[in-house]
Amino acid sequence: MKTILEYPNGIHKAVPHDVYHGRHLGLVSKTAIEQVDRSPAHYRAWVDAVGDDEAGRHTPAKHFGGAWHCSLLEPERFARTYVVEPNHGDLRTKAAKAARDEWRAAHEGMTYVSDDDMAAMTAMTAAVRANPLAARMLEDGEPELTVLWNDPETGLRCKTRTDYYVRNRRMAVDLKSADDASYEAFRRSAAKFGYHTTDALYRAGFGAAGERIDHYVFVVVEKSPPHGVALYSLHADDIQKGHAHVVDATLKLSECMRNDAWPAYPVTIQTLVLPPWAA
Amino acid sequence: MANDTASTALAAAEDPSKSISAFSSQSNFVAAQRMARALAESSLVPVAYQNNIPNVLIAIELSARVAASVFAVMQNLDIIHGTPSWRAKFLIATVNACGRFTSLRWRFVGVEGTDSWGCRAVAKEIATGEECLGPLVTIAMAKSEGWATKSGSKWKTMPELMLCYRSAAFWTRLFAPELSLGMSTSDEMSDISEQAPLPTLPASLVPGSTKDLEAELLGKERPAAATAVTLEMPPLDVHPDTGEVVPPEAAQ
């Protein structure tokens, strides 16, 4: 199986998830930037964790989000790779455990989703389809496009992957499943998970590939009834901050690569100041 | 040292009385709001003003106060860590075009390449002929203030230009503070800030209008007032030749 580095620069369809998520020294991605932010040493340890089963380390929220993305954007792949696992009863009993093991053996290689999760995903998809703006956004585009390019400043290879790209609208859609899709809750999530950095990285990648993203829209859907749908687009000032973050992290990584030096935390005694909320 | 484009833009707006002071009356505010709406929809204006009518309104007000075109103000007003600040070349052009002083010039002292190197901005007051000599700015000052030691500092790569810019900013603060409206220059703000300045957002990364996208997705014309501040205002009379807004009392 070829690695992501063997793909040429540009936009690629249907790059297998395992290939896309492969870790390679010097390859810039949103996750790589998060690791570099912590420290170059943490980034290096993350890259070197050979055989680390990234899928296996997914949180239940990520597992749910991945399954929902697939069911909404790639229903054929969903039918091929996912299966709804029935309720086997009380798993503290031998009979239920045996029933589960037998069922899983019969569905080896498939990814399981519980019937409760499947019901939630179906309702969330219906909520998206019922939203006039969100429904139109998910028309005439392509899911899961992988973009590869070289950073113009450092020459480092970069990658990103969109949920859905509508070329004729120059629009990328980022689907998010959430417990709370309200403005306040989502902007906290955007800050916590660095969505402004993701936005800037997408725009840079598509720009390098000769395309352009005018609109990068988050379609946020609540996992519980009434499955509220909210649409958000980041302010230009925050995209600028995201761009600055990408530039800084890429330069830092490039310097580490050039010197083959991967420091962790500063070798100094830092004065600790409590966060504002504790003061 | 003054920027030609900025000088031209200033010369084009010689008479400040012809500019709209957006906040001086209700009718001026409505007229300025219309102008702001048109400018905010342009992709040629800087990112901070695109789809941002309030920011454009402030730029219109500042353009009236410094007698420059709105476009020149928008191109030369940076928001550094949330604080508006002039680009130094624009401030110099403002002094040169104000008519009260001769154009700014610089007198260098010390030895180039050493900490003693520095300069003062100087101009003459036209009415009295008195020479106005600005404060001395040196490389030693830039180092002791920490301006020259910051990551990415322009003092390391273009010290002569930075000496001229900083001495011009100091000169303006002493002899003509009304021209800068009390604001600092962008490079001063970057120097005194704890944070490094953000890199400029490349044009390819500038987002489009979400209101336009909504209208496109819903398959309808974008409502004209969708981004405007709605106010209960009487209709305005506009002069057919000049396009100037005629105040209601004058139209009666």
Side-chain angles (χ1 to χ4, degrees), chain A residues 69-223:
Chain A
H69 277 211
C70 192
S71 70
L72 178 61
L73 301 175
E74 302 174 283
E76 287 177 11
R77 187 167 76 85
F78 184 80
R80 217 171 47 242
T81 57
Y82 282 85
V83 63
V84 180
E85 184 172 21
N87 187 344
H88 301 291
D90 186 350
L91 289 173
R92 288 172 299 185
T93 66
K94 280 186 181 177
K97 279 183 185 169
R100 181 197 63 188
D101 293 345
E102 188 183 343
W103 185 89
R104 289 192 173 180
H107 296 89
E108 200 177 341
M110 303 288 278
T111 306
Y112 323 127
V113 289
S114 70
D115 47 2
D116 285 348
D117 280 354
M118 191 65 222
M121 285 191 277
T122 305
M124 287 165 68
T125 298
V128 171
R129 299 290 183 213
N131 182 299
L133 284 172
R136 292 294 308 276
M137 282 178 192
L138 296 173
E139 290 175 358
D140 307 323
E142 295 195 70
E144 304 287 350
L145 293 179
T146 296
V147 189
L148 288 158
W149 73 101
N150 284 97
D151 173 58
E153 289 291 316
T154 62
L156 289 182
R157 205 87 194 283
C158 308
K159 69 173 180 180
T160 190
R161 170 173 267 192
T162 58
D163 284 350
Y164 199 74
Y165 179 61
V166 187
R167 190 178 191 187
N168 63 8
R169 296 193 197 282
R170 292 174 166 181
M171 177 180 69
V173 179
D174 197 340
L175 287 170
K176 299 287 182 200
S177 52
D179 292 323
D180 183 347
S182 68
Y183 183 90
E184 276 305 323
F186 189 69
R187 77 172 179 165
R188 277 198 299 273
S189 295
K192 181 178 176 184
F193 298 114
Y195 293 159
H196 56 310
T197 306
T198 314
D199 184 319
L201 204 57
Y202 281 14
R203 288 175 196 271
F206 275 82
E211 299 278 331
R212 182 189 161 101
I213 293 181
D214 278 345
H215 309 288
Y216 180 82
V217 185
F218 296 92
V219 175
V220 192
V221 188
E222 290 175 346
K223 289 186 272 191

Side-chain angles (χ1 to χ4, degrees), chain B residues 70-231:
Chain B
V70 182
F71 195 68
V73 166
M74 289 194 285
Q75 294 291 344
N76 289 287
L77 186 70
D78 291 326
I79 311 296
I80 309 288
H81 307 306
T83 306
S85 42
W86 297 115
R87 293 196 182 170
K89 62 186 178 184
F90 183 77
L91 195 59
I92 294 165
T94 309
V95 173
N96 291 349
C98 77
R100 285 171 42 211
F101 302 94
T102 58
S103 294
L104 281 174
R105 293 291 181 265
W106 288 266
R107 282 188 198 154
F108 276 81
V109 298
V111 180
E112 186 172 347
T114 69
D115 286 357
S116 67
W117 196 35
C119 73
R120 298 173 189 271
V122 58
K124 278 188 180 173
E125 191 173 32
I126 291 171
T128 62
E130 185 187 346
E131 184 177 78
C132 303
L133 193 60
L136 178 65
V137 179
T138 63
I139 295 295
M141 177 192 279
K143 286 182 177 173
S144 60
E145 289 288 334
W147 306 334
T149 51
K150 295 185 72 166
S151 171
S153 169
K154 297 290 181 197
W155 287 91
K156 293 175 187 168
T157 52
M158 42 183 78
E160 185 174 0
L161 188 67
M162 294 306 289
L163 284 168
C164 293
Y165 278 179
R166 190 55 44 87
S167 58
F170 284 180
W171 185 97
T172 310
R173 200 163 296 150
L174 273 184
F175 295 105
E178 68 280 10
L179 293 178
S180 66
L181 304 176
M183 296 193 294
S184 299
T185 59
S186 306
D187 49 272
E188 279 181 282
M189 289 304 298
S190 296
D191 280 347
I192 63 172
S193 167
E194 288 295 314
Q195 299 165 276
L198 291 176
T200 306
L201 193 65
S204 61
L205 270 60
V206 175
S209 158
T210 52
K211 293 296 172 195
D212 286 346
L213 176 64
E214 277 179 17
E216 186 186 323
L217 290 165
L218 297 173
K220 59 186 180 188
E221 290 284 313
R222 180 181 169 186
T227 58
V229 179
T230 307
L231 289 175

Side-chain angles (χ1 to χ4, degrees), chain A residues 17 19-20 27 44-45 47 54 63-64 89 91 104 115 122 130 138 175 194 196 201 207 228 239-240 247 257 268 275:
Chain A
H17 279 240
V19 174
Y20 176 77
L27 178 61
R44 188 60 201 252
V47 172
E54 193 158 341
H63 177 73
F64 179 89
L91 289 173
R104 289 192 173 180
D115 47 2
T122 305
L138 296 173
L175 287 170
H196 56 310
L201 204 57
I239 299 169
Q240 189 174 12
V247 169
M257 294 283 290
T268 177

